[in-house]
Amino acid sequence: MRLFLSGVRTQFWLIRRQPDELLTLCTIPFTVVMMLSIVMHAARPDLVANAFLAPTLIGLWGFATGLATTVLVGDRWIDALPLGMAAPGSLHPVYLGRISAVMVLGVVPLGETWLLGKLLFGVTPAVHHPWVFWAAMAASVFAMIGTSLLLAASMLLSKNSNNYLNFLSFPIYVLSGVMVPVQYLPEFLRPLSDVIFLSWSADLMRDAMAAAPVTAVGWRLLAIVGLGVAALVAGRVLLALTLRRARELGVVTYA
Amino acid sequence: MSVRVRDLTRTYRKGKGWRPKGEEVTALAGLTLDVPANEVHGLLGPNGAGKTTLCKILSTVLLPTSGTAEVLGHDVVTGAAEIRPRIGIVFGGERGLYGKLTARQTLRYWASLYKIPDAVAKVRTGELLARLGLADKADDLVETFSRGMKQRVHLARGLVGDPELVLFDEPTTGMDPVAARDFRELIGELRDEGRTILITTHDMDEAEAVCDRVTLIDRGRVLATESPRGLAAMSGPHRWVEAETSLDVTGIPGVVDTETRNGVLRVKTTDDRAARAVLDFLLDRGVRSVHAVPPRLEDVYLDLIGRRGMEV
Ligand SMILES: Nc1ncnc2c1ncn2[C@@H]1O[C@H](COP(=O)(O)OP(=O)(O)O)[C@@H](O)[C@H]1O
Ligand SMILES: [Mg+2]
């Protein structure tokens, strides 16, 4: 736990000095404008909730891929990884702490989106089930932390993993239904959506904003958290394997 | 014994993939070495000799291929968890630091990885920063530091766990002369505090100045382990003459090699008689300040290894 907290603290120190890393926040207005102008001009008030959710969740994912998942490759880049391996403390709680610190900031896009909607378009969506909404957001942040650890560990495997990650983002936006609800997607893509926690998040949050009662809240939250735990465990195992292999081979990448 | 290494080998494989299958490169080829507690031990050798590989194995970040290595009584493979809290590592250069942390934050971060309680870490961080002359820059970002200051942050980082054994891998590469002198003083202090020090270097003068004993390694093998003075005696019958002159002595029988540094000519001769002849030759031509000098570690090194791999 101490190592985790030290990771959190260190990442806050790093971010404070690196405001350019918060560039993700600057891309959000564009998504907000795009989504809301489409919805407003099409006169589809039923889709307003969707237009608010997209920038929020894309912002969360953006923080994860832009900042959280690069903590390990970043340390490899500056040659801090072998120094960490030589230290008595284990590395995964430290990196998990650093990732968590970033993802706590992942809530900021939510506020930013609401604010921009009000300022630019004069709309704020109704949230009919605020508790469900916030529970879904919290579960999503947790799942994003787990997923980021997995992505961060995977990124060690390649030398130019940033390219893969950028490539990954758009399919994730589509499959997770943050842009367009999953039920509008071609049938064969749905199973893929089911294993992406963001699709559960988007669905549940959309329902939480609608007036109709939300069904199966517990199960759906569990799905988000469960997928997050799975990613967390997988990330931890992959990191351990990668570090063990580095100790055997003397190299961290494999491609 | 702080370090006990027996028949240590390490090979790397080239190639890609999770398990590379390419050509094998031998970095250590049956190395045996003992470093008693509280000794300052130098590892000298050309580029590619295997010095860094040995340091990595001793610091438990790399596994041996065969043979054994014990650090502070624990095996590097099975006892890594016991070794790690008790050793410090300083790998040369400026890399490995976060530019966006201050010197103090850097030490606090690493103190946590060395599992030092926060209250202790706070005090120790302050002490180390003061000791390494970083006190008034403690809260500046590391990225604003000069190369020499970054190296001092590295030194402080390596000492944050209050290690019994410190491994230095080329710590003075690129250090300016003043910093290098401070570094030698620091090594002396660390020894006085009872720590053991293993230091790899290219710099013979440095090894001669700080080391109790040095080990010469080449191609992953030990050529000799001796005190710097003892090692110097290994250069056989060769004798050296130094003089402030620009005269050409290469024609004199028995002159093996000449070299001029800072206006001082240094002549290597086959034996006493040849050295005598060079002395006479120079004195006859009115050259003042002519001396027969003892061999330097560098001379022995060149005798045993040659000029290969001296470039940094
Ligand atoms: N990760 C690695 N993969 C393949 N070969 C390596 C690796 N690290 C070192 N080597 C090789 O092992 C030999 C010893 O290297 P090293 O231990 O770095 O020597 P030194 O520090 O004395 O210069 C060299 O031939 C080097 O090329
Ligand atoms: Mg080296």
Side-chain angles (χ1 to χ4, degrees), chain B residues 39-42 211-216 222-234 297:
Chain B
E39 180 171 273
V40 179
H41 196 100
C211 296
D212 299 317
R213 290 195 309 153
V214 292
T215 292
L216 232 53
V222 171
L223 297 181
T225 298
E226 269 288 356
S227 68
R229 197 173 282 271
L231 205 56
M234 289 177 64
L297 194 50

Side-chain angles (χ1 to χ4, degrees), chain B residues 13-312:
Chain B
R13 272 196 184 273
K14 292 188 173 161
K16 294 181 168 189
W18 184 258
R19 292 271 161 231
K21 293 272 182 288
E23 188 191 329
E24 218 173 56
V25 183
T26 300
L28 298 177
L31 190 127
T32 293
L33 177 71
D34 281 325
V35 181
N38 205 205
E39 180 171 273
V40 179
H41 196 100
L43 279 177
L44 279 171
N47 276 330
K51 305 181 296 292
T52 297
T53 301
L54 178 60
C55 284
K56 284 185 175 166
I57 290 176
L58 296 178
S59 58
T60 77
V61 301
L62 186 69
L63 294 174
T65 302
S66 71
T68 58
E70 281 172 18
V71 174
L72 302 167
H74 298 279
D75 185 86
V76 291
V77 181
T78 56
E82 281 76 33
I83 295 173
R84 287 177 187 168
R86 296 168 62 192
I87 65 169
I89 55 175
V90 180
F91 293 163
E94 328 164 23
R95 298 185 60 81
L97 298 173
Y98 300 97
K100 299 286 181 189
L101 291 184
T102 67
R104 194 189 303 280
Q105 288 167 343
T106 304
L107 295 189
R108 294 295 297 278
Y109 174 65
W110 287 104
S112 73
L113 267 167
Y114 277 84
K115 299 190 167 178
I116 295 158
D118 239 24
V120 180
K122 220 168 180 168
V123 176
R124 192 175 294 166
T125 297
E127 284 169 1
L128 280 172
L129 289 168
R131 173 171 201 176
L132 287 152
L134 292 167
D136 49 344
K137 298 277 184 189
D139 298 308
D140 290 4
L141 292 189
V142 168
E143 68 180 3
T144 65
F145 285 9
S146 68
R147 193 186 168 106
M149 283 161 67
K150 284 182 188 162
Q151 278 167 323
R152 280 184 271 161
V153 177
H154 260 306
L155 292 171
R157 197 204 69 83
L159 297 174
V160 82
D162 193 17
E164 291 161 58
L165 168 71
V166 195
L167 302 169
F168 291 98
D169 192 12
E170 314 242 2
T172 52
T173 310
M175 257 192 205
D176 61 74
V178 178
R181 200 196 54 218
D182 289 348
F183 174 73
R184 290 178 194 180
E185 265 173 37
L186 176 72
I187 295 292
E189 288 172 26
L190 295 178
R191 182 193 15 215
D192 293 344
E193 290 164 11
R195 302 179 214 269
T196 310
I197 289 142
L198 187 66
I199 174 169
T200 82
T201 178
H202 270 88
D203 183 342
M204 312 299 144
D205 293 338
E206 177 174 281
E208 202 159 0
V210 304
C211 296
D212 299 317
R213 290 195 309 153
V214 292
T215 292
L216 232 53
I217 70 172
D218 187 29
R219 298 196 171 102
R221 273 182 237 280
V222 171
L223 297 181
T225 298
E226 269 288 356
S227 68
R229 197 173 282 271
L231 205 56
M234 289 177 64
S235 65
H238 294 304
R239 293 291 176 270
W240 280 263
V241 175
E242 276 183 4
E244 280 177 39
T245 177
S246 51
L247 285 171
D248 182 15
V249 297
T250 47
I252 303 171
V255 170
V256 181
D257 197 9
T258 65
E259 176 195 74
T260 304
R261 237 190 248 174
N262 306 327
V264 177
L265 173 73
R266 186 172 170 86
V267 186
K268 179 182 181 184
T269 67
T270 47
D271 52 26
D272 273 334
R273 275 187 47 179
R276 191 77 252 158
V278 173
L279 284 170
D280 289 345
F281 174 87
L282 292 172
L283 289 169
D284 283 352
R285 277 156 191 75
V287 179
R288 305 256 187 93
S289 64
V290 184
H291 318 274
V293 291
R296 293 172 311 185
L297 194 50
E298 185 171 345
D299 300 319
V300 190
Y301 181 94
L302 292 176
D303 264 4
L304 293 177
I305 296 178
R307 293 200 174 272
R308 190 165 38 83
M310 288 293 287
E311 61 289 345
V312 177

Side-chain angles (χ1 to χ4, degrees), chain A residues 131-144:
Chain A
W131 286 109
V132 177
F133 185 86
W134 283 110
M137 188 68 197
S140 304
V141 169
F142 168 79
M144 199 67 247

